[in-house]
Amino acid sequence: MGLLEEFDQTALAAAGKELHGFATELFPICRSITGDGLRRTLALIRERIPLETIEVPTGTGVFDWTVPKEWNVRDAYIKGPDGKRIVDFQQCNLHLVNYSAPVHASMTLNELKSHLFTLPDTPEWIPYRTSYYQENWGFCLSHNQLLTLEDGDYSVSVDSTLEDGHLTYGECYLPGRSTDEILISCHACHPSLANDNLSGLSVATHLAQYLAGRDLRYSYRFLFIPGTIGAITWLSRNRANVGRIRHGLVLTCIGDPGGFHYKKSRRGDAEIDRAVAHVLRHQDEPFEMLEFSPYGYDERQYCSPGFNLPVGCLMRSVWGSFPQYHTSADNLDFMQPLSLARSLRVCVALVDLLENNRRYCNQNPYCEPQLGRRDLYRSTGGEGIGQEISARLWVLNLSDGQHSLLDIAERSRLPFRAIRVAADLLFQNGLLVVAPS
Amino acid sequence: MGLLEEFDQTALAAAGKELHGFATELFPICRSITGDGLRRTLALIRERIPLETIEVPTGTGVFDWTVPKEWNVRDAYIKGPDGKRIVDFQQCNLHLVNYSAPVHASMTLNELKSHLFTLPDTPEWIPYRTSYYQENWGFCLSHNQLLTLEDGDYSVSVDSTLEDGHLTYGECYLPGRSTDEILISCHACHPSLANDNLSGLSVATHLAQYLAGRDLRYSYRFLFIPGTIGAITWLSRNRANVGRIRHGLVLTCIGDPGGFHYKKSRRGDAEIDRAVAHVLRHQDEPFEMLEFSPYGYDERQYCSPGFNLPVGCLMRSVWGSFPQYHTSADNLDFMQPLSLARSLRVCVALVDLLENNRRYCNQNPYCEPQLGRRDLYRSTGGEGIGQEISARLWVLNLSDGQHSLLDIAERSRLPFRAIRVAADLLFQNGLLVVAPS
Amino acid sequence: MGLLEEFDQTALAAAGKELHGFATELFPICRSITGDGLRRTLALIRERIPLETIEVPTGTGVFDWTVPKEWNVRDAYIKGPDGKRIVDFQQCNLHLVNYSAPVHASMTLNELKSHLFTLPDTPEWIPYRTSYYQENWGFCLSHNQLLTLEDGDYSVSVDSTLEDGHLTYGECYLPGRSTDEILISCHACHPSLANDNLSGLSVATHLAQYLAGRDLRYSYRFLFIPGTIGAITWLSRNRANVGRIRHGLVLTCIGDPGGFHYKKSRRGDAEIDRAVAHVLRHQDEPFEMLEFSPYGYDERQYCSPGFNLPVGCLMRSVWGSFPQYHTSADNLDFMQPLSLARSLRVCVALVDLLENNRRYCNQNPYCEPQLGRRDLYRSTGGEGIGQEISARLWVLNLSDGQHSLLDIAERSRLPFRAIRVAADLLFQNGLLVVAPS
């Protein structure tokens, strides 16, 4: 039984509950591009899948970049003129600008304001802001709250450390029959944000769980890394081996109720690009294909010109295009169990396609073979044929060693699964052999 | 005078009458993939064009297939409980499932029913069914009649023979100046069905008649063959020579009142595909271009991956898409004289194009030659030019030895005929030479 | 500062006034494909830009053509039965069919009529007609006037000379750092017609004026030539050097209020074709791209198959498509100062693009370079990026030595100027080097 057929035997609702549940566990942790929040996150993933954790020391050169200091935070708040905590990191880790340097100071409201970030257009939401590579501090709060602040002396405390330490990332490698790899990458550096971060982490973790222990054609490598610097660090340490990556996918923003978006790799016509297009065309939700651009998630690094890897980015709603993006409204309610489950199903369908996408040679290339005497045709002539026989004819006609099953699925406009089933049957009947690669 | 100009001097109505008349002669014959009905059909064609008849013995291996037993039928009927013939092959040869094995038996209505075929959606029509490769017998009747049958004992008689004999097909070869061939293929195995069978036979016969005896660039080969097994047999016997086929066309369902459909060859961009598209674009009836698929008529065999010949399929209504298809309603009324005549005209236009499609070299490639002093331009400057001069400029500009006249017609959006006339004139004026091939 | 930025510092209104003013000076002159009208026109251009005037003797063979006799005209008229001048070349030089042979004769109205040209559909306008290569004479007048002519004896006088002399053309060469050339060609052979002739002359003259004395990558060659025979003559005399022409543009009908039209070169995808498309897409007026055809202006000769130069034709309204074309209504009112100025701006933008269109190599091709520490990125993370940073990321991502800045502008859908500014900045920061060509 194929990977997808097997997956479809479980109820999507159950899968959604499991996916959302794991995200709920991860939600409260204050992740950043380094530090203990990231380590705790990886530890929870390791409870589910075999995961190696790599620690790279501060100061390590990675291409044009340097691994930054490690950031950890114990507490952070703003106290109002009356001495009460009015903005409190303990209540919501988005309140603190991520990577804020330690500070303990008293200041007027006016002085304070240059360190405050709000969203006037969605005045109830807290923005998410970072300051990784410029030492600074700041707080984020709802615009409504900002408007209530009165003149007076405010006391500010960021009890953080920004010190030599390590950048941490997790790597799950599932060996297959070939050392050719499929790379699944997701960022794990955002604090309490659900769709932008946890959706990818949860779907990737469960995909690895689903694949682990199976007999697979490709090897699979799952990366759980801090955005940008994590991908750069990984690429820097694995430069010699990236040639093994035959297909790759960045997974992010994959849990909201919007339709799918797939941003193509820099190559634009890589097998992964065509495979995702095919899978999305043959599922039920709306979808859109997006051209590559050099802004976005870690496909920026995988698709930098020196690497130019066949890595695309699978999303539902596109970062920046939904109002909840990078705000406190990107929470566990915004992310839907069923959306997560259907995203996981798309990933499984994609793996199923890539695992089975081969070129065959028709052993009877001159005229059609007589399918009827092999019980592969309908017996009474004069009526039409159905999708099953149509798929067999397509596979036979295009199996000249040049066309992959995906090529055949695209040209016939039949779903890959129908083409694969036909190819399996014809192969079992000795009508096809696998083409030399 | 060109082939098409000459054709256009005859009234279409007269051509239509002739085409429909020949189909009317052929209609009553009970054709099948072997047997005397097919032989009688070929004999009638041979009265009009030079035709070689080939007999291939039962049991001959043809690629993955074997030439089947020869089928002939003298009589077949069902008698009702009152002993009267209620379904009678003598009245309509569609009543008998084609290739039915002999049977003489008595049975209940229930037993009989598993051998009966009807069309509940069009209850007045008799379906057409076959059972070539699985020995069986059956009868086709209108659904209305089926509903009137009462319980009782029925007697069934199929007085047929299914014995070692031959598969017969006809081949008309018209030699041209070159041994490069144009193949026209149509199936001749359907009994009393008009559009699906006789339209192609009649148009192909008359096209051969029109071309016979002319001085032609290409050689022409017309095949009148049983569907599938006939094409396979012919290809098997002529495998070494198919490389001569430069362009090919399967003709079928070409007599109904619907617009044209052309199904492209497997290559998709063969000269025949572009030529048909051009001809159809520049005639008056609606048309549609269809992508290749491996289901349909004998293009299935010509376009199998080992051959991959440049053979498309020209139709009016597409098999299976009109309700009369494979029923008794596909009769002589459904097929229109004028539709047949216009189909023949399209074939002549296509031959005209292929015969004249050449690449030329402009002998004055640097700047335009001075057409005015050769009387090939208008004399008073300042006004526009018409299609005639435009065609000359296009031919001169693109005759660099790389572009065929069809390329030029396509790029200029002018009809091929205008381009050909311009090329002839420029050639006569010494401004062009034929490009080395 | 770039060429376009500098141009944009002058008011368009002032440029328009200057462009229209020069056309006004040129308007009354009776130009033709040879003769003193053409010489006077070139003399006025030479007052503004360095211009070499070339005189080619009558009878010189130029490819398939021969330089014709030189035509000059002192006076021409028709006198009515009452002896009064009713059609007078002195009042409007369009009245005389251009290149009319001398004649002094008396004739009836009927005899005269075969030499008269009018426009019944626009009965107030005088048509423009020529008879270069067939010796003849004729007069053009308004259709309304023709209707008033009464029977009687008319006296006709064309005091012209058609004698051995010269064909004259002007050439302005601006040497650049490379001998690779950009060709700008416009015809200078039409008498008092504004849009069709003077618009191109004026814009080309002012473009040359704008570029003269600058340090430029390309050399620029401006041709002011009689249509057809002038281009053929120039190509005949410069055949050995046309390989230097990297990009070329025929400028004509560039002063009316219509939107832009660009007719592509015969190649269809030359850099000039893509560059013009890009420039037109990123300006404010409507525009349309037209496929090449071998009828039109001198691109006919530059794009003849032996040369096949990358030369397109930039117009506003297309010749023949506006009613004023080749009539007395194509006058100084029809041509608008602002239209001329905006056309000149498009030319400057095009030169700016071609001058700066290079391929670069990203010096940090593995992952993105850290723009932040070079002050080339925004400092607070979590928000979007603007066009400036987007342009930098695009340039870095595609600068693999294969993609030109125009390629990058097209793929990113950003204006070339934004891409060029980004490339300059990255180059100054050592992040790019120019790719070897």
Side-chain angles (χ1 to χ4, degrees):
Chain A
M1 185 163 42
L3 284 167
L4 185 55
E5 282 90 336
E6 187 182 327
F7 184 85
D8 281 344
Q9 302 204 320
T10 329
L12 276 177
K17 200 175 160 189
E18 165 65 26
L19 285 155
H20 198 272
F22 184 45
T24 305
E25 273 187 70
L26 298 172
F27 189 74
I29 302 171
C30 179
R31 279 164 292 275
S32 183
I33 57 172
T34 60
D36 290 332
L38 182 52
R39 283 192 193 90
R40 274 201 299 283
T41 299
L42 297 176
L44 287 169
I45 294 172
R46 195 165 45 234
E47 289 179 7
R48 283 169 160 79
I49 56 172
L51 191 78
E52 190 188 355
T53 306
I54 292 91
E55 299 275 354
V56 184
T58 297
T60 305
V62 286
F63 294 120
D64 190 52
W65 301 60
T66 305
V67 171
K69 290 182 179 166
E70 182 175 329
W71 183 67
N72 284 293
V73 55
R74 270 176 300 268
D75 195 7
Y77 58 81
I78 303 173
K79 283 186 178 162
D82 63 355
K84 287 188 185 159
R85 285 191 179 206
I86 54 167
V87 175
D88 187 353
F89 168 79
Q90 307 290 352
Q91 290 195 349
C92 172
N93 57 35
L94 296 178
H95 277 311
L96 182 62
V97 167
N98 206 291
Y99 247 69
S100 281
V103 62
H104 301 277
S106 199
M107 58 190 72
T108 65
L109 180 57
N110 251 0
E111 289 170 310
L112 177 60
K113 274 187 175 171
S114 69
H115 291 271
L116 298 185
F117 298 88
T118 70
L119 296 166
D121 289 342
T122 48
E124 299 191 351
W125 297 351
I126 305 164
Y128 162 61
R129 292 289 177 270
T130 68
S131 189
Y132 299 138
Y133 300 102
Q134 190 159 33
E135 216 169 291
N136 204 340
W137 63 268
F139 284 87
C140 299
L141 64 164
S142 78
H143 197 67
N144 283 344
Q145 185 180 11
L146 178 67
L147 297 177
T148 66
L149 300 188
E150 293 178 1
D151 279 344
D153 279 345
Y154 287 79
S155 112
V156 160
S157 169
V158 177
D159 184 10
S160 68
T161 54
L162 200 51
E163 293 169 349
D164 283 356
H166 293 83
L167 175 147
T168 315
Y169 67 82
E171 192 163 355
C172 164
Y173 182 72
L174 306 177
R177 296 192 299 278
S178 155
T179 55
D180 286 350
E181 287 183 18
I182 295 183
L183 178 77
I184 309 285
S185 175
C186 45
H187 63 286
C189 54
H190 286 29
S192 294
L193 294 170
N195 197 39
D196 180 9
N197 198 37
L198 299 183
S199 67
L201 293 185
S202 185
V203 168
T205 301
H206 286 85
L207 180 62
Q209 218 170 349
Y210 188 73
L211 297 178
R214 290 178 189 266
D215 175 33
L216 295 165
R217 169 186 183 183
Y218 287 109
S219 296
Y220 288 78
R221 189 177 302 276
F222 291 81
L223 297 183
F224 301 90
I225 51 179
T228 305
I229 187 67
I232 293 169
T233 301
W234 185 85
L235 283 163
S236 170
R237 294 166 52 94
N238 294 277
R239 183 171 168 178
N241 299 327
V242 294
R244 291 180 190 159
I245 299 173
R246 298 289 305 276
H247 320 288
L249 208 57
V250 169
L251 282 182
T252 183
C253 296
I254 201 81
D256 67 272
F260 287 103
H261 290 82
Y262 175 72
K263 174 176 154 183
K264 294 183 203 169
S265 75
R266 182 179 184 270
R267 301 182 186 183
D269 62 350
E271 189 175 333
I272 184 75
D273 300 321
R274 294 171 50 211
V276 175
H278 185 84
V279 165
L280 292 179
R281 198 174 300 127
H282 290 276
Q283 48 90 49
D284 295 332
E285 296 188 70
F287 74 97
E288 199 178 339
M289 300 295 288
L290 308 173
E291 294 303 318
F292 175 77
S293 81
Y295 190 56
Y297 290 97
D298 286 330
E299 69 277 7
R300 293 164 71 158
Q301 313 309 329
Y302 302 123
C303 296
S304 57
F307 290 116
N308 196 24
L309 295 174
V311 176
C313 178
L314 184 65
M315 300 163 272
R316 282 177 172 276
S317 292
V318 177
W319 54 266
S321 75
F322 52 96
Q324 296 86 347
Y325 174 73
H326 278 191
T327 76
S328 56
D330 180 3
N331 57 28
L332 290 166
D333 289 336
F334 179 56
M335 193 170 64
Q336 315 261 308
L338 217 53
S339 295
L340 287 165
R342 287 192 176 132
S343 296
L344 178 57
R345 188 185 181 279
V346 160
C347 292
V348 172
L350 183 66
V351 167
D352 187 56
L353 192 163
L354 294 171
E355 286 278 317
N356 291 290
N357 191 27
R358 282 195 177 72
R359 290 173 292 108
Y360 289 91
C361 289
N362 179 344
Q363 294 299 284
N364 297 268
Y366 297 101
C367 299
E368 294 174 357
Q370 193 177 6
L371 296 181
R373 65 173 162 89
R374 295 176 176 90
D375 245 349
L376 299 173
Y377 211 68
R378 52 127 173 74
S379 54
T380 303
E383 286 170 333
I385 56 168
Q387 177 178 291
E388 277 194 353
I389 294 177
S390 179
R392 290 171 205 160
L393 295 177
W394 273 109
V395 170
L396 286 169
N397 188 271
L398 292 179
S399 284
D400 51 10
Q402 308 300 314
H403 296 88
S404 70
L405 294 190
L406 177 56
D407 293 332
I408 300 174
E410 287 178 344
R411 189 156 172 192
S412 67
R413 297 173 184 267
L414 294 172
F416 184 84
R417 194 196 295 205
I419 294 295
R420 177 177 62 70
V421 167
D424 287 350
L425 197 63
L426 294 167
F427 180 82
Q428 287 155 22
N429 277 271
L431 292 167
L432 299 180
V433 297
V434 175
S437 50
Chain B
M1 184 162 43
L3 284 167
L4 186 55
E5 282 90 336
E6 188 182 327
F7 184 85
D8 281 344
Q9 303 204 318
T10 329
L12 277 177
K17 202 176 160 189
E18 166 66 25
L19 285 155
H20 198 270
F22 185 46
T24 306
E25 273 185 70
L26 299 172
F27 190 74
I29 302 171
C30 178
R31 278 164 292 276
S32 183
I33 56 173
T34 61
D36 291 330
L38 183 52
R39 284 192 192 92
R40 275 202 298 284
T41 299
L42 297 176
L44 287 168
I45 294 173
R46 196 166 44 234
E47 289 179 7
R48 285 169 159 79
I49 57 173
L51 191 78
E52 190 187 356
T53 306
I54 292 92
E55 299 276 353
V56 184
T58 297
T60 306
V62 288
F63 294 119
D64 191 51
W65 301 60
T66 306
V67 171
K69 290 182 180 165
E70 181 174 330
W71 183 67
N72 284 291
V73 56
R74 271 176 300 269
D75 195 7
Y77 58 81
I78 303 173
K79 283 186 179 161
D82 62 357
K84 288 190 186 158
R85 287 195 177 203
I86 54 166
V87 174
D88 187 354
F89 168 79
Q90 306 290 351
Q91 290 196 350
C92 171
N93 57 35
L94 295 178
H95 276 314
L96 181 62
V97 168
N98 208 289
Y99 248 68
S100 280
V103 63
H104 302 279
S106 201
M107 59 191 70
T108 65
L109 179 58
N110 250 358
E111 288 170 312
L112 178 61
K113 274 188 174 169
S114 69
H115 290 273
L116 299 184
F117 298 88
T118 69
L119 297 166
D121 290 343
T122 49
E124 300 191 353
W125 298 352
I126 306 165
Y128 161 60
R129 291 291 177 270
T130 68
S131 188
Y132 300 137
Y133 300 102
Q134 190 158 35
E135 217 169 289
N136 205 340
W137 63 268
F139 284 87
C140 301
L141 63 164
S142 77
H143 197 67
N144 284 344
Q145 186 180 11
L146 178 68
L147 298 176
T148 66
L149 300 189
E150 294 178 359
D151 278 346
D153 278 346
Y154 286 79
S155 111
V156 161
S157 170
V158 177
D159 183 9
S160 67
T161 55
L162 200 52
E163 296 168 347
D164 282 357
H166 293 84
L167 176 146
T168 316
Y169 66 83
E171 192 164 353
C172 163
Y173 182 72
L174 306 176
R177 297 192 298 279
S178 156
T179 55
D180 285 351
E181 288 183 16
I182 296 182
L183 178 78
I184 308 286
S185 175
C186 44
H187 63 287
C189 55
H190 285 30
S192 294
L193 293 170
N195 196 40
D196 180 9
N197 197 37
L198 299 182
S199 67
L201 293 185
S202 185
V203 168
T205 301
H206 286 84
L207 180 62
Q209 219 170 349
Y210 188 73
L211 296 179
R214 291 179 188 265
D215 176 33
L216 295 165
R217 170 187 183 182
Y218 287 108
S219 298
Y220 288 77
R221 189 178 302 276
F222 291 80
L223 298 183
F224 302 91
I225 52 178
T228 305
I229 187 67
I232 293 168
T233 301
W234 185 86
L235 283 163
S236 170
R237 294 166 52 93
N238 295 277
R239 182 171 168 178
N241 300 326
V242 296
R244 293 181 190 158
I245 298 173
R246 299 288 306 277
H247 320 288
L249 207 57
V250 170
L251 282 182
T252 184
C253 295
I254 201 82
D256 67 272
F260 288 103
H261 290 83
Y262 175 72
K263 174 177 154 183
K264 295 183 204 169
S265 75
R266 182 180 185 268
R267 300 182 186 182
D269 63 349
E271 188 175 334
I272 184 73
D273 300 321
R274 294 171 49 211
V276 176
H278 184 85
V279 164
L280 292 179
R281 198 174 299 124
H282 290 275
Q283 48 89 50
D284 294 332
E285 296 188 70
F287 74 98
E288 199 178 340
M289 301 294 289
L290 308 173
E291 294 303 316
F292 174 77
S293 81
Y295 190 57
Y297 290 97
D298 285 330
E299 70 277 6
R300 292 163 71 158
Q301 312 309 329
Y302 303 123
C303 296
S304 56
F307 290 117
N308 196 23
L309 295 173
V311 176
C313 178
L314 184 64
M315 298 161 273
R316 283 179 171 276
S317 291
V318 177
W319 55 266
S321 74
F322 53 97
Q324 296 86 346
Y325 174 74
H326 278 190
T327 77
S328 55
D330 180 3
N331 57 27
L332 290 166
D333 290 336
F334 179 56
M335 192 170 64
Q336 315 260 309
L338 216 54
S339 294
L340 287 165
R342 285 190 177 132
S343 295
L344 178 57
R345 187 185 181 280
V346 160
C347 292
V348 172
L350 183 65
V351 168
D352 188 57
L353 191 163
L354 294 171
E355 285 279 317
N356 292 289
N357 190 26
R358 281 195 178 72
R359 290 173 292 108
Y360 289 91
C361 290
N362 180 343
Q363 295 299 286
N364 298 267
Y366 297 101
C367 298
E368 294 174 357
Q370 194 178 4
L371 295 182
R373 65 174 163 89
R374 295 175 176 89
D375 245 346
L376 299 173
Y377 212 68
R378 53 125 173 74
S379 55
T380 304
E383 287 170 333
I385 56 169
Q387 179 179 289
E388 278 193 353
I389 294 177
S390 178
R392 290 172 205 159
L393 295 177
W394 272 109
V395 172
L396 286 169
N397 188 272
L398 291 179
S399 284
D400 51 10
Q402 306 300 314
H403 296 87
S404 70
L405 294 190
L406 177 56
D407 293 332
I408 301 174
E410 286 179 344
R411 187 156 173 190
S412 67
R413 297 172 185 268
L414 294 173
F416 183 84
R417 194 195 295 205
I419 293 295
R420 177 178 61 72
V421 167
D424 287 351
L425 198 64
L426 295 167
F427 180 82
Q428 287 156 22
N429 277 271
L431 291 167
L432 299 180
V433 296
V434 176
S437 49
Chain C
M1 183 162 41
L3 284 166
L4 185 55
E5 283 90 337
E6 188 182 327
F7 183 85
D8 281 344
Q9 302 205 320
T10 328
L12 276 177
K17 201 175 162 189
E18 165 65 26
L19 285 156
H20 198 271
F22 184 46
T24 305
E25 272 186 71
L26 298 172
F27 190 75
I29 301 171
C30 178
R31 278 164 292 275
S32 184
I33 57 172
T34 60
D36 289 332
L38 183 53
R39 284 192 192 90
R40 275 202 298 283
T41 299
L42 296 176
L44 287 169
I45 294 172
R46 197 166 43 233
E47 288 178 7
R48 283 169 161 80
I49 58 173
L51 190 79
E52 189 187 357
T53 306
I54 291 91
E55 299 276 354
V56 184
T58 297
T60 305
V62 288
F63 294 119
D64 190 53
W65 301 61
T66 306
V67 171
K69 289 181 179 167
E70 183 174 329
W71 183 68
N72 284 292
V73 56
R74 269 177 301 268
D75 196 6
Y77 58 81
I78 302 172
K79 282 186 178 161
D82 61 356
K84 286 190 186 158
R85 287 193 177 203
I86 54 167
V87 175
D88 187 353
F89 168 79
Q90 306 291 351
Q91 289 194 350
C92 171
N93 56 35
L94 295 178
H95 276 313
L96 182 62
V97 168
N98 207 289
Y99 247 68
S100 279
V103 64
H104 301 278
S106 199
M107 59 191 72
T108 65
L109 180 57
N110 251 358
E111 289 170 310
L112 178 61
K113 274 186 175 172
S114 69
H115 291 271
L116 298 185
F117 298 88
T118 69
L119 297 166
D121 289 343
T122 49
E124 299 191 352
W125 298 351
I126 305 164
Y128 161 60
R129 292 289 178 271
T130 68
S131 188
Y132 300 138
Y133 299 103
Q134 189 159 35
E135 217 169 289
N136 204 341
W137 63 268
F139 284 87
C140 299
L141 64 164
S142 78
H143 197 67
N144 284 344
Q145 186 180 10
L146 178 67
L147 296 177
T148 66
L149 299 190
E150 295 179 0
D151 278 345
D153 278 345
Y154 286 78
S155 110
V156 161
S157 169
V158 176
D159 183 9
S160 67
T161 55
L162 200 52
E163 295 169 347
D164 282 356
H166 293 84
L167 175 147
T168 315
Y169 67 81
E171 193 164 352
C172 163
Y173 182 71
L174 305 177
R177 296 192 299 278
S178 156
T179 55
D180 285 350
E181 287 183 18
I182 295 182
L183 178 78
I184 308 285
S185 175
C186 44
H187 63 287
C189 55
H190 285 30
S192 293
L193 294 170
N195 196 38
D196 179 9
N197 198 39
L198 299 182
S199 67
L201 293 185
S202 185
V203 168
T205 301
H206 286 85
L207 180 62
Q209 217 170 351
Y210 188 73
L211 296 178
R214 289 179 190 266
D215 176 33
L216 295 164
R217 170 186 182 183
Y218 287 108
S219 297
Y220 289 77
R221 190 177 302 275
F222 291 80
L223 297 183
F224 301 91
I225 52 179
T228 306
I229 187 66
I232 293 169
T233 301
W234 185 85
L235 283 163
S236 169
R237 294 166 52 93
N238 294 278
R239 183 170 167 178
N241 299 326
V242 295
R244 292 179 189 159
I245 298 174
R246 299 288 306 277
H247 320 288
L249 208 58
V250 170
L251 283 182
T252 184
C253 295
I254 201 81
D256 67 273
F260 287 102
H261 290 84
Y262 175 72
K263 174 177 154 184
K264 294 184 204 170
S265 75
R266 182 179 184 269
R267 301 183 186 182
D269 63 348
E271 188 174 334
I272 184 75
D273 300 322
R274 295 171 49 212
V276 176
H278 184 85
V279 165
L280 292 180
R281 197 174 301 125
H282 290 276
Q283 47 90 49
D284 295 333
E285 297 188 70
F287 75 98
E288 199 178 339
M289 300 295 289
L290 308 174
E291 294 304 316
F292 174 76
S293 82
Y295 189 57
Y297 291 98
D298 285 330
E299 69 278 5
R300 293 163 69 159
Q301 314 309 330
Y302 302 123
C303 296
S304 57
F307 290 118
N308 196 23
L309 295 173
V311 176
C313 177
L314 184 65
M315 299 162 273
R316 283 177 171 277
S317 292
V318 177
W319 55 267
S321 75
F322 52 97
Q324 297 86 348
Y325 174 74
H326 277 191
T327 77
S328 55
D330 181 4
N331 58 28
L332 291 165
D333 290 337
F334 178 57
M335 193 171 64
Q336 314 262 309
L338 217 54
S339 294
L340 288 164
R342 285 190 177 135
S343 295
L344 178 57
R345 187 183 181 278
V346 160
C347 293
V348 171
L350 183 65
V351 167
D352 187 57
L353 191 163
L354 294 170
E355 286 278 318
N356 291 290
N357 190 26
R358 281 195 177 72
R359 290 174 292 108
Y360 289 92
C361 289
N362 179 343
Q363 296 299 286
N364 297 268
Y366 297 101
C367 300
E368 294 174 357
Q370 193 177 6
L371 296 181
R373 66 174 162 88
R374 295 175 177 91
D375 245 348
L376 299 172
Y377 211 68
R378 53 125 173 72
S379 54
T380 302
E383 286 170 336
I385 56 169
Q387 177 179 290
E388 278 194 352
I389 294 176
S390 178
R392 290 171 205 160
L393 295 177
W394 273 108
V395 171
L396 286 168
N397 188 273
L398 291 179
S399 285
D400 51 10
Q402 307 299 315
H403 295 87
S404 70
L405 294 190
L406 177 56
D407 293 332
I408 301 173
E410 286 178 345
R411 188 156 172 190
S412 67
R413 297 171 185 268
L414 294 172
F416 184 84
R417 194 195 295 205
I419 293 295
R420 178 178 60 71
V421 166
D424 287 350
L425 197 64
L426 295 167
F427 180 83
Q428 287 155 23
N429 276 270
L431 291 168
L432 299 180
V433 297
V434 176
S437 48

